[in-house]
Amino acid sequence: MNTAKINTSLFQRLRFVLVETSSPGNVGAAARAIKTMGFSELVLVNPRFPDVLQREEAIAFASGAQDILASARIVDSVEQALEGCNFAAALSARLREFSPPLTAPRALAAQLAGDVSLNAAVLFGSERYGLPNEVVEKCNVLLNIPANPEYSSLNLAQAVQVLAYECRVAASEDLSPAGAGEIGFQGNAASLSDIDGMFTHLEQALIEIEFLDPASPKKLMPRLKRLFSRAQLETEEVNILRGIASQILTKRRRLDRS
């Protein structure tokens, strides 16, 4: 097991990711929201305005959290935004047929605070369209804020504030009883990029043995992603699954040559 030193503080382990945000004001307000709760890492994926962090509206809405804007990163893809993370949560008001397991902000916060091996990201979609399905499927859990069913519309920055608040409360209190959830051996949680690579490898193997028809894949891979998202895969488990996929591909190619 890797014994690399980890930062146990949730305030240093949690990243807030805004995907394709349109309004500079929402970016500034989100920066203010996370700073008031003690968090600092903000990443933007393809915002509408490339200079959003310097825009007057963003700076005005940040209202004293300009340091969060100054240190925020802008990246081209969700994969880049999740580099270094081994756990991701997607926030959406819309339930999906093949989404990862559904959880509430308070339950997520308790999980993140109680497991210091998790370097996590919470993803928020654009104001108009939310998060696309392919992004949600990359995540370990789907978050849903239990709002008024007759009017459940939350502003982006308000949603960020709710999540940041719940995580602050969980990080400030001992919410997990000693020994809860422990097993005899527990390895490091697999990174999201490693899990993505495993799914690609597994898909190749399933196509090779004709279990998966690439011309008509239907919902097999989304179902498998949903299945594995519940398992919270460790690095060694991902390596085992990739080893199985490699062996399938090797054996099949040998048969094809014989």
Side-chain angles (χ1 to χ4, degrees), residues 69-230:
L69 293 181
S71 63
R73 294 185 292 119
I74 294 179
V75 298
D76 296 326
S77 68
V78 170
E79 288 77 13
Q80 287 177 296
L82 295 179
E83 285 179 0
C85 293
N86 54 23
F87 190 94
L91 181 73
S92 177
R94 179 166 57 91
L95 302 182
R96 322 293 174 99
E97 183 182 3
F98 295 105
S99 77
L102 183 66
T103 191
R106 189 161 298 175
L108 173 74
Q111 180 182 3
L112 297 182
D115 188 346
V116 297
S117 72
L118 297 180
N119 293 304
V122 181
L123 282 69
F124 302 81
S126 69
E127 295 91 335
R128 187 171 180 184
Y129 300 110
L131 289 170
N133 288 338
E134 59 268 23
V135 172
V136 173
E137 289 173 3
K138 289 180 182 293
C139 296
N140 301 87
V141 295
L142 178 66
L143 278 171
N144 187 259
I145 295 174
N148 178 3
E150 295 180 4
Y151 186 69
S152 60
S153 176
L154 276 175
N155 171 271
L156 172 60
Q158 292 173 331
V160 172
Q161 186 75 76
V162 169
L163 265 296
Y165 168 77
E166 291 291 354
C167 289
R168 179 174 182 82
V169 171
S172 302
E173 299 178 2
D174 183 13
L175 298 181
S176 54
E182 291 184 2
I183 56 177
F185 173 84
Q186 190 168 3
N188 294 327
S191 71
L192 296 171
S193 60
D194 286 345
I195 292 174
D196 266 350
M198 181 269 291
F199 278 122
T200 299
H201 206 170
L202 184 59
E203 184 175 21
Q204 292 170 351
L206 294 175
I207 291 171
E208 191 69 27
I209 61 174
E210 299 179 1
F211 188 84
L212 172 63
D213 180 0
S216 181
K218 297 184 179 178
K219 300 295 184 180
L220 177 61
M221 293 312 296
R223 285 187 184 278
L224 288 177
K225 288 180 179 180
R226 185 182 184 192
L227 184 157
F228 283 117
S229 70
R230 296 197 298 269

Side-chain angles (χ1 to χ4, degrees), residues 11 16 61 104 119 233:
F11 297 103
F16 291 81
F61 275 78
N119 293 304
L233 292 169

